[in-house]
Amino acid sequence: MGIGSSVAERVALAERDIRVLVENGEYWLRNRGDIAMMITTVERLRARWPLARIGVLTHQPAVLRALLPEAEPVYGPDWTWGSDGWTGAVTRTAATKLIGPAALRWRAATDGPKDRIRGLRTEDTTSVADPAAAEVPAAEVPAALRDASLVLALGGGYLTDVDKYQAHRTLNLLEQARAQGIPTALVGQGLGPLRDPRLVERAAEVLPGVDFVALRENRRGPELLARLGVAAEQTLVTGDDAVEFAYRLRDARIGADLGLCLRVAEYAPVGAAARETLGRVVRERAAALDAGLQPLIISEYASEDRRSTLPLLVGAARRRPPVGRGGTPRDVARQVARCRVLVTSAYHLAVFALSQGIPAVGITASEYYDDKFHGLAGMFGAGLRVVHLDDPDLESALRQAVDELWEAAPGLRDPLQQKAVEQIDASRAGLERVFRLVENGPVARVDG
């Protein structure tokens, strides 16, 4: 390039060398809430760096291509970047237009992995008595790290005792990136509960060295990071990165349906009596309020949301159809938009609702979900009621929460949407700090 080359040309050349390695915490691409966060963040990255390579760690490369063609899959056995140049472009085009749609059809016909550990590879489940407690050897760091300009860990609830395997995997990746002088950041994170001694020790070893941490809530995260030794100036509370995704799909009209999702899993146990009470109350309130009853499915891991939710609608007069197994996050967010109130034990459905100005009842039976819902309530203020499924007066608490939010829904709409806008602004400000980690470094420097 000659001396007269423009700054824009030099920036473009530098931008082509940027490679963002994304740790998404959801390698099987079966959770629509996690996918919504991924879509939002990758769109923001692509808007800032149109020519950069954005690689996402995944076990489902073809599904990633179909869902998010702006990114490229980084997958096993060595977790390397795909081919560059024209051969890579041809491969990516074919994967997006041909293989991707076929992969989505295959996914729609299958039940997904049987384990609930988002990052765990199936071959690892037989090697330990408790797969969730397994640690990832440091040597199992992706080869793609060598060429990365930035390591970005997307939002999720995986830095917790509930998902030790993925937590250790993420911490290892961040530690190795730091050792190689690569900028690191975490965005949209929900931390804890975190008490496992070894996991706490690893987090205290790694997280203080991370360049930036954006949190989705102010309830637990800041205090936990402080105890782990992370400096306050390295952190920012931004809200969940799926807020903008859902906000864009809001409807000007107030919905008329009552939404429902119940998840029953190892990390979210719910007894038979609580399920029966939940189903009976929701069916009764839908009938009394002359509302359609909309099942909402966010996770397809072993059909956990389907298996727990759909039986609760049996006997309801106006049942809406659930999203198909191949449905996208947008499909579910649009179903949410047709609701006036939601009852959900799935965190991201509450995010989808509140971001569109729709109140929700968050139902919980574990400390893990207590923290999720109370943290979310703190970000939005009014509009989210938390009900414990072990409440001795569960039936009355549920009925009261649904009826009060149904009545209050019109007045809550604008304040909730305003809170969503504030979080979108904060989330974008947080990502601006991430951009500067790269642009102020050697990769994109154009002065001199």
Side-chain angles (χ1 to χ4, degrees):
M1 182 176 292
I3 295 175
S5 300
S6 69
V7 170
E9 289 173 328
R10 297 166 69 191
V11 169
L13 279 179
E15 189 181 297
R16 288 190 181 95
D17 290 333
I18 294 176
R19 295 193 183 198
V20 182
L21 183 61
V22 175
E23 166 58 81
N24 75 93
E26 213 286 81
Y27 286 34
W28 291 104
L29 302 177
R30 291 274 178 171
N31 186 297
R32 296 182 178 96
D34 292 335
I35 294 169
M37 289 189 292
M38 188 191 314
I39 290 171
T40 299
T41 305
V42 170
E43 285 180 351
R44 291 170 176 175
L45 291 169
R46 182 60 67 207
R48 180 64 162 246
W49 296 322
L51 304 178
R53 296 184 68 176
I54 303 171
V56 177
L57 296 165
T58 182
H59 289 318
Q60 298 288 310
V63 173
L64 180 74
R65 285 290 190 199
L67 292 172
L68 197 53
E70 296 86 357
E72 59 182 282
V74 176
Y75 55 102
D78 297 324
W79 305 91
T80 57
W81 296 93
S83 301
D84 206 350
W86 73 269
T87 55
V90 170
T91 300
R92 291 191 289 272
T93 300
T96 300
K97 294 185 176 180
L98 301 176
I99 301 173
L104 285 182
R105 290 192 294 272
W106 167 82
R107 189 181 69 161
T110 63
D111 201 33
K114 299 303 180 185
D115 65 89
R116 309 285 170 76
I117 305 166
R118 289 173 294 184
L120 188 59
R121 292 175 297 166
T122 54
E123 62 266 30
D124 291 319
T125 61
T126 60
S127 62
V128 290
D130 179 11
E135 294 185 23
V136 185
E140 292 189 16
V141 171
L145 179 64
R146 291 192 300 266
D147 300 316
S149 311
L150 170 70
V151 171
L152 183 63
L154 298 191
Y158 51 83
L159 291 177
T160 172
D161 295 336
V162 168
D163 202 355
K164 295 185 183 73
Y165 188 95
Q166 181 59 38
H168 279 288
R169 190 205 309 251
T170 301
L171 293 171
N172 287 347
L173 177 63
L174 295 169
E175 183 179 58
Q176 291 295 317
R178 181 189 179 196
Q180 297 181 36
I182 299 167
T184 55
L186 302 98
V187 294
Q189 292 293 326
L191 306 183
L194 196 62
R195 296 191 184 92
D196 176 78
R198 178 55 184 152
L199 186 52
V200 170
E201 180 184 10
R202 283 294 291 148
E205 291 170 351
V206 176
L207 292 181
V210 171
D211 293 294
F212 176 66
V213 183
L215 298 168
R216 68 188 185 193
E217 50 78 31
N218 200 30
R219 172 182 168 87
R220 299 287 189 195
E223 187 271 337
L224 179 54
L225 286 180
R227 283 195 283 113
L228 293 171
V230 179
E233 58 267 23
Q234 293 171 244
T235 70
L236 183 68
V237 177
T238 64
D240 194 285
D241 291 326
V243 169
E244 180 169 356
F245 177 91
Y247 178 79
R248 291 176 181 175
L249 297 171
R250 68 196 184 281
D251 196 315
R253 300 163 296 179
I254 295 180
D257 286 350
L258 178 61
L260 175 63
C261 178
L262 174 66
R263 178 173 305 164
V264 180
E266 290 91 337
Y267 56 88
V270 181
R275 296 189 214 185
E276 193 278 330
T277 299
L278 174 63
R280 184 177 67 255
V281 170
V282 170
R283 293 191 303 271
E284 289 175 354
R285 298 328 298 152
L289 296 166
D290 193 26
L293 193 50
Q294 175 67 67
L296 298 165
I297 311 299
I298 202 81
S299 172
E300 297 287 1
Y301 280 103
S303 297
E304 58 188 359
D305 288 358
R306 290 181 186 276
R307 289 187 296 104
S308 303
T309 303
L310 297 186
L312 302 184
L313 277 68
V314 174
R318 295 169 58 193
R319 286 179 290 175
R320 307 298 190 202
V323 69
R325 290 182 187 272
T328 67
R330 286 181 177 85
D331 296 331
V332 175
R334 290 189 178 104
Q335 288 181 326
V336 170
R338 295 193 287 270
C339 296
R340 185 177 175 118
V341 173
L342 261 65
V343 179
T344 176
S345 67
Y347 162 84
H348 266 114
L349 282 172
V351 173
F352 282 9
L354 297 170
S355 302
Q356 298 183 65
I358 300 166
V361 180
I363 49 177
T364 173
S366 68
E367 184 185 17
Y368 180 58
Y369 274 98
D370 287 349
D371 284 358
K372 282 190 172 192
F373 283 126
H374 283 293
L376 186 61
M379 297 302 295
F380 277 93
L384 178 60
R385 303 286 182 85
V386 181
V387 173
H388 290 265
L389 289 173
D390 57 0
D391 188 328
D393 199 12
L394 175 61
E395 184 169 345
S396 175
L398 278 170
R399 183 181 294 111
Q400 181 178 353
V402 171
D403 288 352
E404 289 181 355
L405 289 177
W406 192 271
E407 180 68 22
L412 290 170
R413 197 167 189 82
D414 287 346
L416 287 174
Q417 290 184 358
Q418 180 57 41
K419 288 291 186 181
V421 171
E422 292 170 5
Q423 291 173 69
I424 291 167
D425 290 344
S427 180
R428 286 181 169 272
L431 202 58
E432 181 66 31
R433 290 178 60 170
V434 175
F435 292 141
R436 292 201 297 267
L437 294 175
V438 176
E439 294 172 349
N440 290 349
V443 172
R445 184 172 294 147
V446 297
D447 55 331

